[in-house]
Amino acid sequence: MAMESILENLKKVSDPDQATAFRAVQVLRFESYRLLDPMKQDERAAFARALAAELNATITAPPSEEEKKKKKNKDKGLKPEVKPKYDSRTRNVILQCLALVGGEAEVADIAKTLGDLDLREAARCALDGNPSPAATTALVAALDGCGPEFRIGAIGSLGRKGGPVAQEALRHMTEDPDPEIRLAAIEALSRFPDPANDTLMAQAGRVGSERARDRVAKARLRLAENLRDCGDKAAARRVYESIPRDAAAQRAAADAALKSMQQEGESGGLRKK
Amino acid sequence: MGRPLSHGDQAVSERELIGRRDFLKGSAGGLAAAVSLPHIVPAGVVGRTARPAPSDRVVVGSIGVGDLGRRHHLSNCLLPNPRIEVAAVCDVDRNHRDEAARICKEKAGRRVGVYKDFRDVLDRKDIDAVMVVTPDHWHAQIAIAAMEAGKDVYCEKPLTLTISEGKAMVKAARRYGTVFQTGSQQRSDARFRQACELVRNGKIGKISKVETRIGSIGPGEWQPVQTPPPELDWDFWLGPAPWADYSPNRCHYEFRWFQDYSGGKMTDWGAHHNDIAQWGLGMDGSGPVKVVGTGKFAENGPHDVPLSFRVHYTYANGVELICTSDGDNGIRFTGSDGWIFVNRSRIEASDPDILKIELGPNDVRLYKSENHHENWLDCIMSRERCICDVEIGHRSVTVCHLGNIAIKLGRELHWDPKTEMFVNDEEANRMLDRPRRAPWRL
């Protein structure tokens, strides 16, 4: 897509006429879909770069009337204001497209918007969809951001991404003062088939409300399943065995899994004979 | 959190109820191990006419009581059923949940718990099972949470919004031994079963093509953005979907035509007819290996799913499936010796005698269910799998999702039904899942 066309459509995304805005969003969206093609890597990269550049583009505008009124008696020499070229709606649409086509080159531009309350959720989603390791690093940095809901979102994204960098960051988050953050980190860690995570989980499962302890037990059950799927049956068995009785549904599921593992073992033994 | 907005009658103590739950899950599970599919004895067969004892009843929470949840499931199926005791209704729209509670009082003569937050329903230990009749973008979130809470689940079709959600649902169901019914009720209709049994037994020869015709939609009309009505928690309604300003035609019923919440006609009706195609082809647990499609989209909105489409699938055995918005609603199987067409009102064949064929002792017999809800209840008791178990529902809607993805990407895609990934196509694999709006996550 030519740069002029990208700019023209970006300009229309916030058009007051809903149909005009819809058409512009669809053009950008469908260009993103079209470029999701292994044969169009270069074209996709160029499109993503163009969008990322526009994401944080600024314009210099004369001070608004409101601004003038505010500063009337304080400062006679009002300077032109530097502000984002596009409004939040347009920048959200850019981020949605970047969630599909963005790569490593776009991470820095996306990450810049994590500090903007109107954009950070879409930015988090764009990094979530971005396959580059740099996106994981940016999400780890975002864990220090404010607002528990946003941080929980970032934790969930790191869980989906996987990898040692994400795992380490999530382990660190199990010590966060906010119990919801700690629980979200425990849940995300269940996706990593590493038996060492169970130590943190077991600890977390000893405190908190009944609902919180049940959430930890669920996470441990998922961890055990992942360990089993990865072939570490001994570790899986240990986790299954240690799921507490007071989490009834989780305990029942763990017992069923242990029984099935035992049956698998027995039939494996029979085959050997 | 954790407090019902009003309390239902508690005729039985929680301890007694838990005991009964353990019975349902435990002893019946043992029984299930000794029985193989599809030898479930429906309750009707054993001549239950009087109202069953409380210990034989399944206590159900109804999550999502909008038009379909309230009128069809609650009023027509759950409340009149003597084997069910409805204990809770839940909806993010106060009008829906209050009306549902009123219907329960009127039809069953008892008050039920009334909730806005599904998690409060799942916290109730006396509830055995839940009915999930929310918009599609909520299905996986609620169904998985329900399974994790040890509840059996009936979840409306289309089962999911993304293929990844379906994989997570299947895993959860297996992890917890959940009895799970997908609301693709055509599986419990004798006409569709007959068509599939004839196809499966070669009565129209070697199958070469299946057409599923599911209809089109219009572009919709724009409405100005509005403040959500006070009875509706719009933020909760959106849940894991991206934030959007409220307008009535994005919400109740109409959500089907917005890709953030659903997959359009392709998933709305495709989840029915592609499900029958999969059944007839014996592809439950699998799927096509190649897909390519085209679609027409609204030029000016607001609907952003395909208005009309034609998708061409190929299975590993060479059979073609064409899913299209054109033609007479229904499914047409074409074989080397004839064809069969079936929909909700009729079944036809190239030669009417085909429909008179009686299956022989060596012919394949498909799982027989005559009532989708009763089948769910029977399976809750026996711990067998339902006629439209979670994996069947997931695989059928996967066919629909593949179609929508192929239309969007505009190119031929190669699918591996075993790994449930596109083959050597990381770009297409980016379409298998979507980020969820915080704090929601699977």
Side-chain angles (χ1 to χ4, degrees):
Chain A
M1 179 182 260
M3 193 65 199
E4 302 82 64
S5 178
I6 294 173
L7 294 175
E8 190 189 329
N9 283 294
L10 285 176
K11 215 175 352 175
K12 289 179 185 166
V13 167
S14 289
D15 195 286
D17 175 57
Q18 290 173 307
T20 305
F22 174 88
R23 281 196 299 273
V25 172
Q26 288 291 84
V27 167
L28 295 165
R29 232 185 217 177
F30 273 84
E31 182 64 358
S32 306
Y33 294 142
R34 187 183 71 81
L35 296 175
L36 273 181
D37 184 335
M39 307 301 285
K40 290 176 179 149
Q41 265 181 340
D42 292 345
E43 212 183 328
R44 184 168 70 244
F47 180 62
R49 281 310 306 138
L51 287 178
E54 291 302 304
L55 178 63
N56 296 307
T58 54
I59 51 166
T60 308
S64 63
E65 286 305 312
E66 199 185 330
E67 201 65 14
K68 279 183 197 165
K69 266 188 212 162
K70 233 192 273 175
K71 296 198 172 179
K72 201 175 176 183
N73 301 319
K74 291 182 190 166
D75 186 0
K76 300 268 176 198
L78 276 175
K79 289 175 190 163
E81 191 189 355
V82 177
K83 58 180 192 180
K85 182 175 172 185
Y86 301 102
D87 64 5
S88 294
R89 173 168 161 69
T90 308
R91 296 172 82 197
N92 265 292
V93 169
I94 294 176
L95 286 164
Q96 283 165 17
C97 292
L98 286 174
L100 291 169
V101 297
E104 185 160 5
E106 287 67 56
V107 169
D109 282 315
I110 297 169
K112 273 185 203 164
T113 62
L114 285 167
D116 186 321
L117 286 179
D118 292 332
L119 300 177
R120 64 184 187 174
E121 185 61 10
R124 196 263 302 168
C125 291
L127 291 172
D128 187 308
N130 190 308
S132 114
T136 304
T137 313
L139 281 167
V140 170
L143 291 174
D144 291 334
C146 33
E149 208 157 279
F150 172 72
R151 296 170 75 210
I152 287 169
I155 285 168
S157 293
L158 286 171
R160 274 156 50 91
K161 284 190 162 290
V165 174
Q167 182 169 231
E168 199 44 49
L170 290 171
R171 283 177 176 167
H172 184 65
M173 298 313 285
T174 62
E175 292 164 11
D176 195 90
D178 183 333
E180 276 300 314
I181 299 282
R182 291 200 299 271
L183 276 172
I186 290 289
E187 286 168 343
L189 278 173
S190 70
R191 290 172 171 258
F192 298 75
D194 184 339
N197 289 333
D198 194 49
T199 314
L200 295 169
M201 292 181 175
Q203 253 168 7
R206 286 187 208 111
V207 292
S209 64
E210 188 186 337
R211 209 184 229 186
R213 282 183 278 121
D214 197 54
R215 277 172 65 181
V216 175
K218 285 173 199 165
R220 295 182 76 193
L221 202 62
R222 283 198 294 268
L223 171 68
E225 191 174 275
N226 286 333
L227 289 165
R228 185 181 171 185
D229 289 348
C230 291
D232 194 347
K233 292 189 179 174
R237 191 172 290 117
R238 277 196 301 276
V239 179
Y240 280 133
E241 281 169 352
S242 60
I243 286 173
R245 299 241 154 251
D246 58 356
Q250 317 315 318
R251 187 61 253 164
D255 287 339
L258 284 167
K259 198 173 166 188
S260 122
M261 284 175 80
Q262 194 183 350
Q263 282 165 350
E264 270 172 29
E266 280 165 9
S267 63
L270 283 176
R271 271 201 299 274
K272 272 178 200 166
K273 281 176 196 171
Chain B
M1 239 4 151
R3 293 271 77 84
L5 302 177
S6 72
H7 295 273
D9 297 335
Q10 298 275 333
V12 188
S13 75
E14 191 169 85
R15 178 177 288 190
E16 286 169 311
L17 288 163
I18 292 167
R20 187 183 54 79
R21 258 187 77 67
D22 288 346
F23 171 78
L24 283 180
K25 297 253 167 187
S27 57
L31 172 70
V35 187
S36 64
L37 279 171
H39 299 292
I40 295 163
V41 182
V45 174
V46 294
R48 276 189 192 152
T49 47
R51 188 169 173 79
S55 59
D56 288 339
R57 272 184 245 150
V58 177
V59 180
V60 174
S62 199
I63 300 172
V65 283
D67 184 55
L68 185 67
R70 202 171 58 239
R71 181 179 44 80
H72 174 60
H73 288 292
L74 190 65
S75 297
N76 295 341
C77 302
L78 302 184
L79 290 171
N81 194 318
R83 301 165 72 195
I84 288 177
E85 183 178 311
V86 176
V89 293
C90 173
D91 204 291
V92 296
D93 188 319
R94 191 181 59 229
N95 289 352
H96 288 177
R97 60 180 182 259
D98 286 354
E99 176 62 6
R102 190 194 62 74
I103 290 170
C104 290
K105 182 82 177 79
E106 186 186 289
K107 293 206 172 192
R110 66 192 303 273
R111 285 189 298 141
V112 295
V114 185
Y115 303 87
K116 181 168 94 171
D117 190 329
F118 68 94
R119 291 167 293 193
D120 293 334
V121 177
L122 303 184
D123 275 348
R124 276 184 58 169
K125 291 189 168 56
D126 61 317
I127 289 179
D128 302 309
V130 294
M131 173 80 60
V132 182
V133 195
T134 60
D136 310 355
H137 66 288
W138 268 110
H139 287 174
Q141 191 81 44
I142 296 173
I144 290 174
M147 291 188 267
E148 288 178 340
K151 317 295 185 200
D152 292 321
V153 176
Y154 184 119
C155 183
E156 256 303 343
K157 47 54 64 178
L159 201 53
T160 59
L161 189 65
T162 69
I163 292 171
S164 291
E165 286 182 349
K167 288 165 80 172
M169 283 169 97
V170 173
K171 270 190 127 178
R174 301 298 176 253
R175 191 183 304 138
Y176 291 95
T178 309
V179 170
F180 195 110
Q181 180 78 294
T182 309
S184 299
Q185 78 277 8
Q186 290 182 170
R187 290 239 175 186
S188 295
D189 181 317
R191 206 178 279 122
F192 290 98
R193 188 179 64 252
Q194 184 193 5
C196 290
E197 281 182 334
L198 291 169
V199 168
R200 288 276 276 271
N201 288 299
K203 307 303 180 193
I204 54 169
K206 191 174 183 304
I207 298 297
S208 56
K209 189 166 85 173
V210 189
E211 289 166 81
T212 50
R213 304 161 182 171
I214 60 186
S216 57
I217 58 162
E221 280 180 19
W222 284 105
Q223 288 177 328
V225 166
Q226 300 172 24
T227 303
E231 66 272 14
L232 174 69
D233 186 336
W234 175 240
D235 184 51
F236 207 161
W237 187 94
L238 285 170
W243 173 262
D245 291 323
Y246 173 78
S247 63
N249 66 0
R250 288 186 83 84
C251 191
H252 302 320
Y253 186 81
E254 302 291 333
F255 69 85
R256 286 165 170 77
W257 323 128
F258 294 87
Q259 65 162 358
D260 284 342
Y261 323 120
S262 184
K265 205 79 167 178
M266 171 62 90
T267 55
D268 190 39
W269 266 94
H272 283 306
H273 288 357
N274 289 331
D275 180 57
I276 297 301
Q278 289 261 110
W279 200 20
L281 295 176
M283 285 292 167
D284 288 342
S286 185
V289 295
K290 201 163 78 179
V291 54
V292 62
T294 53
K296 183 175 174 258
F297 288 81
E299 271 179 41
N300 298 313
H303 295 161
D304 63 0
V305 294
L307 306 182
S308 60
F309 49 84
R310 185 177 176 84
V311 181
H312 192 141
Y313 304 87
T314 310
Y315 285 83
N317 58 6
V319 174
E320 291 176 288
L321 165 64
I322 292 154
C323 180
T324 170
S325 51
D326 298 330
D328 194 6
N329 182 294
I331 305 118
R332 182 184 159 115
F333 294 95
T334 304
S336 52
D337 302 336
W339 55 262
I340 293 174
F341 176 84
V342 62
N343 67 16
R344 291 186 184 180
S345 57
R346 67 184 202 274
I347 179 166
E348 292 169 351
S350 47
D351 177 350
D353 285 345
I354 293 172
L355 302 178
K356 293 179 191 151
I357 295 173
E358 287 192 15
L359 298 182
N362 296 323
D363 280 330
V364 173
R365 304 281 175 147
L366 295 178
Y367 190 141
K368 186 175 178 184
S369 153
E370 283 163 355
N371 181 306
H372 221 52
H373 290 81
E374 291 294 339
N375 173 252
W376 182 50
L377 294 174
D378 290 336
C379 292
I380 287 175
M381 293 296 176
S382 70
R383 309 312 297 169
E384 289 287 354
R385 286 193 188 164
C386 292
I387 186 159
C388 203
D389 173 54
V390 61
E391 175 144 25
I392 293 173
H394 157 57
R395 295 288 187 158
S396 293
V397 78
T398 290
V399 175
C400 309
H401 292 321
L402 291 176
N404 273 339
I405 293 171
I407 291 169
K408 283 177 181 169
L409 300 193
R411 61 190 171 90
E412 185 176 281
L413 301 171
H414 295 265
W415 178 248
D416 181 346
K418 226 175 205 165
T419 60
E420 298 188 71
M421 304 273 280
F422 292 104
V423 182
N424 297 325
D425 195 339
E426 276 317 304
E427 285 79 0
N429 283 326
R430 284 174 90 158
M431 304 291 281
L432 298 180
D433 201 3
R434 299 181 193 180
R436 307 170 83 74
R437 193 165 64 104
W440 301 104
R441 59 205 181 278
L442 289 184

